[in-house]
Amino acid sequence: MMNDVVAIIGPQSSGIARVVSHVANKLHLPLLSFGATDPTLSSMEYPYFVRTTQNDLFQMNAVADVIKYNGWREIIAIFVDDDYGRGGVEALGNAVESYRSKISKAAFPPYANRRRIKSLLSEINLMESRVYVVHVNPDSGLIIFSIAKELGMMASGYVWIATDWLTTVLDSSKATDLDIIKGVVTLRQHIPDSDIKTSFMSRWDNIIQKENTSFGLNTYGMYAYDSVWLVAHAIDQFLRERQTISFSSDSGLPRANASVLNLGALKSFVEGANLLQKVLLADFTGLTGRVQFSSDRNSILPEYDILNIVGSGPHRIGFWSNYSGLSVVAPEKLYGKPKNTSFTSQQLLRVTWPGETKVRPRGWVFPNNRKPLRIGVPYRSSYKDFVTKDSDSGGVKGYCIDVFEAAVDLLPYPVPHMFIPFGDGVKNPNYSDLVQKVADNYFDAAVGDITIVTPRTRIVDFTQPFMESSLTVVAWAKETKSSPWTFLKPFTLQMWCVTGAFFVIIGAAVWILEHRLNTEFRGSPREQLVTIFWFSCSTVFFANRQKIRSTLAKFVLGVWLFVVLIITYSYTASLTSILTVQRLSLGIEGIDSLVSSRDRIGYQVGSFAKNYLIKELHIAESRLVQLVQPEDYANALERGQNRGGVAAVVDELPYIQFFLSRYCKFKMVGEQFTKSGWGFAFPRDSPLSVDLSTAILTLSDNGKLQEIRDKWLTTTGCDSQNDTNNSTQLSFNRFWGLFLICGLTCIIALIVFFLRIFCQYLRCNSSEMIAPSVNFQAVDRHPTRLSSIKNLMRFIDKKKENVKDAIKGKSSEKQLQLEHA
């Protein structure tokens, strides 16, 4: 550099590049590095630094996407403690933390010996995570895998991800022992296929054959090749613009006589800024693909191959780019499609993991040397069947404990643990405080009847709910006296009037059409319409579809049809809920009426119900009464609002069901609200919460969860559910008014019918008139007068038309007699 220099290509490491960049800035020399990948080397600090290879920032994003794709939540980064290692791992940490994964760092100094590296690997092997990301220099990388194989860390259950240093080694030398790295996932900078690449590799292979060497060409060598061409293009463009090349002795570097570097003799390039612009504006297709820089001076197309090391060597399982994320399609084929980096679109081929298994490792284990989990358990003073301290053994017991133990037994690894009661046992502890203890790492977990609510989910992770829960209202219920007119409630008075008027109009219209217009419109469309209407109604009652004989009969059937419609409507309009509503002495029908009132409300001490009533429903704290035991519930409800008690109690459904199984005179009123459930709490991102959730679902599927519930929560005394079912049954007392109306209607119709028949019978009082007009064989054999009940019944059986003809015949005969007279 003591000669006249206009640009620098190199160096190959991030540490040296940082040092040289200080000099390049002073001398105004563009520094093109094809090997410095440290993300902290930025153009903001070093304006003349140009990275012609990929930034490790993108590589670490690719590694983070692989971790997210496989669902691992904790990783350990093994790295060399220099600029290159620290910068890359810092970028990796930022990437995985954005996915809510945790990273632990395990660093070793540059040029560390085998003993130091073995000690480090032995330490991390005692940790929970089994996902290792190795970001080191090529000279120490293979030593790590060799020692890991000695320690048994290349077996099934382990995950090893190496950055592109590993492919650099594999591409550069064909003599690498693949046995120590089988199952490793690694990355390589993606070089798309092209004619330029094919031609170059052909020339390269010829040179290798002539030199009789096994030295290979890695991707960094290809970027070095393009870096030379990049400088050449920039200088050519610089000279084409007839710019001069001149230097200045005022470099700004210190002139230390004792320094062997003799920095004072270096000259600065006067037109260096102009040449730098030509470099940054370059746009051509090189050996590595398109050579162009973004505004932050990174490659415009960061792309990586995702490789899996198998027995035959590296096997490509996919690609990564910041345009499409993980994909099994080459990035250059996706640029013409819409950008899509969503998680659901990510794809990789199947991986062969260490131990030659294709089953994706869980990524963590419960270490054998770890201390037992410290699990906080509520020390309840009420509802002890759910969870509390066992005074006999000194441990804990209850429904929740049995569920947890059964779930732990299903895990494929042992989980040593110890239960620590939380609370004094005099009153129920505050469950939010217990959850906070887990978030503060005072407890490793919390097991009990812990409700999953939003504020708690912000600080801890919960398992799958093992018990459904919700807030509900319980009160002292008294049934109202049954009313025979309950069936009228679905309709208002106005609606009943409109309905009655409608049927009267329909009935009148039918009567007019059939009786007054029958002769004028016989066979007409109007008559057919009437017939079709009544035929439809009659099929409800007559399977043989006979025509109804009289308008009066049609009216009766219409009444019955109306009754059927009323009953059907009553059912569909939730008449059952109207009939079975339990009226309280204070008129509480649910949470809405309770909120709008000024009555006192009871709640269980330690429950989240208090905060919910105050913060969500805006109920004054002065209205809330703290209760402890189920007996306190009963006493407060019995005393009521006017005698120092409460109008209702708001608590979670499991407690209320347990309470009502022993106190039958109280009822749940209104709808349940705040649907949630009970779960076990763990620190954020704990793998145990995921595995236990799967175990809880298994308990639910195989019926074990119900068995545990039956063991602890069987009802005794009275069964409130059965009592409620009995109260919801419909009795005769509620509907006798409806039957009274129907009966009176039928009786009146029959009376009218018999009066009409009797009148007709009186008018047809001679056998001479009946016999010829009726023309009925039974009458012909008995030409006596219809004076007996038997004759009256026969008269009733005659067709309506025959009777009318008989009456008309008699009238005509009398008229003729009068005319002759």
Side-chain angles (χ1 to χ4, degrees):
M1 291 180 63
M2 294 179 65
N3 300 316
D4 294 339
V5 176
V6 297
I8 304 172
I9 298 177
Q12 299 185 46
S13 68
S14 298
I16 299 177
R18 186 180 299 275
V19 175
V20 177
S21 292
H22 286 285
V23 179
N25 286 347
K26 295 292 185 179
L27 301 181
H28 301 164
L29 300 177
L31 172 62
L32 284 70
S33 177
F34 56 85
T37 59
D38 178 10
T40 61
L41 279 170
S42 66
S43 59
M44 296 293 294
E45 183 177 3
Y46 306 107
Y48 282 85
F49 173 76
V50 180
R51 194 192 323 267
T52 58
T53 187
Q54 301 292 354
N55 190 333
D56 271 346
L57 175 68
F58 301 112
Q59 180 173 208
M60 295 309 172
N61 286 338
V63 172
D65 282 353
V66 172
I67 293 170
K68 180 183 179 182
Y69 176 80
N70 289 279
W72 298 314
R73 306 299 295 272
E74 292 188 14
I75 66 171
I76 298 176
I78 304 173
F79 64 100
V80 61
D81 193 9
D82 60 7
D83 291 341
Y84 161 75
R86 289 190 298 268
V89 170
E90 181 182 354
L92 177 62
N94 295 334
V96 297
E97 287 175 0
S98 65
Y99 299 148
R100 287 189 58 187
S101 294
K102 292 182 178 179
I103 182 172
S104 300
K105 300 177 181 179
F108 61 89
Y111 311 109
N113 56 31
R114 290 181 63 90
R115 183 173 56 84
R116 177 68 181 87
I117 295 176
K118 186 175 183 178
S119 175
L120 178 67
L121 294 181
S122 298
E123 291 178 9
I124 65 175
N125 196 31
L126 299 177
M127 302 172 68
E128 291 183 4
S129 177
R130 286 293 182 264
V131 182
Y132 307 129
V133 177
V134 183
H135 184 58
V136 296
N137 294 314
D139 54 358
S140 58
L142 293 180
I143 299 176
I144 292 175
F145 285 110
S146 176
I147 298 174
K149 189 172 181 63
E150 294 177 6
L151 297 176
M153 299 174 66
M154 297 300 296
S156 177
Y158 288 85
V159 177
W160 291 88
I161 302 175
T163 53
D164 62 357
W165 67 264
L166 180 56
T167 53
T168 300
V169 174
L170 296 178
D171 293 339
S172 300
S173 175
K174 306 299 182 183
T176 305
D177 182 9
L178 297 178
D179 187 60
I180 64 174
I181 56 175
K182 283 197 298 187
V184 175
V185 174
T186 186
L187 288 80
R188 174 196 286 148
Q189 298 178 85
H190 176 67
I191 308 296
D193 295 331
S194 65
D195 294 338
I196 299 176
K197 178 181 176 182
T198 302
S199 176
F200 178 86
M201 295 306 300
S202 177
R203 300 197 308 272
W204 177 267
D205 291 339
N206 291 333
I207 294 174
I208 295 300
Q209 291 177 2
K210 290 180 181 180
E211 297 292 337
N212 193 22
T213 179
S214 61
F215 184 78
L217 180 66
N218 58 52
T219 57
Y220 287 99
M222 297 183 184
Y223 278 104
Y225 182 84
D226 281 348
S227 298
V228 175
W229 277 104
L230 175 58
V231 173
H233 281 291
I235 294 176
D236 181 66
Q237 186 66 27
F238 179 85
L239 296 176
R240 285 178 181 274
E241 295 180 0
R242 300 183 181 278
Q243 298 195 39
T244 60
I245 297 178
S246 58
F247 298 92
S248 171
S249 299
D250 185 12
S251 64
L253 294 172
R255 297 177 177 271
N257 296 329
S259 174
V260 297
L261 295 179
N262 194 16
L263 297 179
L266 300 181
K267 298 178 181 180
S268 64
F269 181 28
V270 177
E271 290 80 15
N274 293 333
L275 181 60
L276 176 64
Q277 290 303 312
K278 299 296 182 292
V279 171
L280 297 177
L281 294 176
D283 185 3
F284 66 95
T285 300
L287 181 60
T288 59
R290 187 178 177 184
V291 179
Q292 187 179 8
F293 299 99
S294 61
S295 58
D296 56 0
R297 299 189 183 182
N298 286 313
S299 174
I300 197 171
L301 299 175
E303 303 162 347
Y304 287 88
D305 296 338
I306 311 296
L307 306 174
N308 180 209
I309 309 300
V310 295
S312 59
H315 169 65
R316 187 162 56 197
I317 58 174
F319 305 88
W320 181 92
S321 73
N322 65 341
Y323 187 82
S324 58
L326 298 175
S327 173
V328 294
V329 180
E332 60 268 18
K333 297 180 180 179
L334 298 175
Y335 290 127
K337 300 180 180 180
K339 184 176 182 179
N340 186 4
T341 57
S342 63
F343 180 75
T344 56
S345 67
Q346 307 299 285
Q347 284 184 306
L348 287 177
L349 298 179
R350 200 170 185 183
V351 179
T352 300
W353 303 102
E356 298 188 19
T357 177
K358 292 187 178 297
V359 179
R360 178 184 299 169
R362 186 171 59 247
W364 78 283
V365 295
F366 201 89
N368 295 329
N369 68 323
R370 178 170 177 173
K371 297 179 181 179
L373 291 178
R374 291 169 45 86
I375 300 178
V377 177
Y379 188 1
R380 295 189 59 88
S381 61
S382 62
Y383 297 107
K384 296 183 178 181
D385 289 15
F386 291 102
V387 60
T388 192
K389 182 179 179 180
D390 189 350
S391 57
D392 297 331
S393 64
V396 292
K397 64 179 182 179
Y399 165 73
C400 300
I401 300 301
D402 282 5
V403 172
F404 177 78
E405 295 287 9
V408 169
D409 290 342
L410 294 178
L411 298 179
Y413 49 86
V415 181
H417 55 274
M418 57 184 296
F419 295 113
I420 303 175
F422 178 73
D424 55 12
V426 178
K427 65 178 182 178
N428 296 333
N430 187 301
Y431 280 57
S432 295
D433 292 344
L434 174 60
V435 172
Q436 187 62 50
K437 291 287 187 181
V438 176
D440 296 339
N441 294 321
Y442 181 84
F443 289 130
D444 298 315
V447 170
D449 47 344
I450 306 172
T451 306
I452 304 173
V453 292
T454 302
R456 296 173 183 173
T457 59
R458 296 192 181 106
I459 58 176
V460 297
D461 283 348
F462 282 95
T463 62
Q464 172 78 17
F466 61 88
M467 169 76 87
E468 293 184 358
S469 180
S470 59
L471 289 180
T472 188
V473 179
V474 65
W476 191 5
K478 295 182 179 179
E479 295 185 14
T480 57
K481 185 177 181 180
S482 299
S483 171
W485 311 109
T486 306
F487 71 94
L488 297 174
K489 290 185 177 180
F491 280 175
T492 62
L493 177 61
Q494 181 183 11
M495 185 62 184
W496 279 113
C497 294
V498 172
T499 303
F502 173 77
F503 277 96
V504 169
I505 293 173
I506 292 296
V510 171
W511 185 85
I512 293 173
L513 290 175
E514 182 166 299
H515 290 273
R516 298 303 181 186
L517 304 178
N518 188 36
T519 56
E520 298 180 19
F521 297 98
R522 182 171 299 277
S524 65
R526 188 186 300 273
E527 181 182 8
Q528 294 175 8
L529 180 63
V530 173
T531 303
I532 291 173
F533 173 77
W534 284 114
F535 178 79
S536 300
C537 296
S538 65
T539 54
V540 178
F541 304 97
F542 300 101
N544 59 1
R545 301 183 180 180
Q546 292 180 349
K547 185 178 179 181
I548 302 175
R549 293 184 177 181
S550 67
T551 304
L552 185 59
K554 294 175 181 178
F555 177 71
V556 173
L557 291 177
V559 171
W560 280 106
L561 180 60
F562 173 66
V563 172
V564 172
L565 293 175
I566 287 296
I567 294 177
T568 303
Y569 168 78
S570 299
Y571 180 80
T572 57
S574 303
L575 179 57
T576 303
S577 63
I578 298 176
L579 297 172
T580 60
V581 62
Q582 305 298 314
R583 297 292 180 179
L584 307 182
S585 57
L586 296 176
I588 301 300
E589 299 180 7
I591 187 62
D592 292 334
S593 61
L594 190 61
V595 171
S596 60
S597 69
R598 296 184 179 180
D599 300 334
R600 287 187 295 274
I601 305 171
Y603 71 93
Q604 181 184 171
V605 60
S607 172
F608 81 99
K610 177 182 179 181
N611 287 337
Y612 183 84
L613 294 173
I614 295 175
K615 296 181 179 179
E616 301 297 331
L617 301 183
H618 308 291
I619 296 177
E621 188 173 359
S622 59
R623 291 176 54 190
L624 303 182
V625 179
Q626 180 176 286
L627 303 174
V628 180
Q629 301 291 343
E631 295 79 6
D632 299 337
Y633 287 30
N635 294 334
L637 290 171
E638 288 176 350
R639 290 197 307 270
Q641 172 72 17
N642 298 328
R643 293 188 296 169
V646 297
V649 171
V650 175
D651 205 350
E652 296 181 63
L653 182 62
Y655 304 123
I656 293 300
Q657 290 176 332
F658 195 85
F659 170 74
L660 294 181
S661 68
R662 289 157 173 77
Y663 296 90
C664 305
K665 55 187 174 182
F666 306 104
K667 305 291 180 184
M668 286 188 292
V669 294
E671 298 292 333
Q672 302 173 17
F673 53 102
T674 67
K675 299 287 185 180
S676 59
W678 291 353
F680 305 133
F682 289 87
R684 295 294 296 270
D685 305 317
S686 171
L688 264 178
S689 64
V690 179
D691 289 354
L692 279 176
S693 294
T694 304
I696 290 172
L697 291 175
T698 303
L699 292 176
S700 178
D701 293 340
N702 62 22
K704 182 66 175 178
L705 196 61
Q706 185 62 41
E707 292 179 10
I708 299 175
R709 182 167 183 168
D710 294 340
K711 171 186 174 182
W712 287 97
L713 307 180
T714 52
T715 57
T716 58
C718 65
D719 191 339
S720 61
Q721 185 63 34
N722 291 337
D723 181 72
T724 301
N725 290 339
N726 292 334
S727 68
T728 61
Q729 294 178 347
L730 305 181
S731 63
F732 176 73
N733 292 335
R734 303 182 189 271
F735 278 93
W736 69 261
L738 177 62
F739 287 105
L740 176 63
I741 294 176
C742 297
L744 290 176
T745 303
C746 294
I747 292 173
I748 293 173
L750 288 174
I751 292 174
V752 173
F753 173 76
F754 280 112
L755 287 176
R756 291 180 59 191
I757 292 297
F758 188 71
C759 292
Q760 292 176 357
Y761 174 72
L762 293 179
R763 295 177 63 182
C764 302
N765 53 7
S766 64
S767 60
E768 294 81 6
M769 180 181 64
I770 296 297
S773 60
V774 173
N775 193 23
F776 201 83
Q777 294 180 1
V779 179
D780 292 341
R781 291 194 300 267
H782 303 280
T784 60
R785 299 180 65 86
L786 300 177
S787 58
S788 64
I789 297 177
K790 183 177 180 180
N791 290 335
L792 176 61
M793 297 305 295
R794 287 179 177 178
F795 178 80
I796 293 173
D797 288 338
K798 307 310 174 187
K799 290 185 176 181
K800 177 180 177 182
E801 291 79 2
N802 293 339
V803 175
K804 289 182 177 181
D805 292 343
I807 295 175
K808 289 180 180 179
K810 179 179 179 183
S811 300
S812 300
E813 183 179 351
K814 288 184 177 181
Q815 184 175 0
L816 290 174
Q817 291 177 357
L818 291 174
E819 290 177 355
H820 288 300

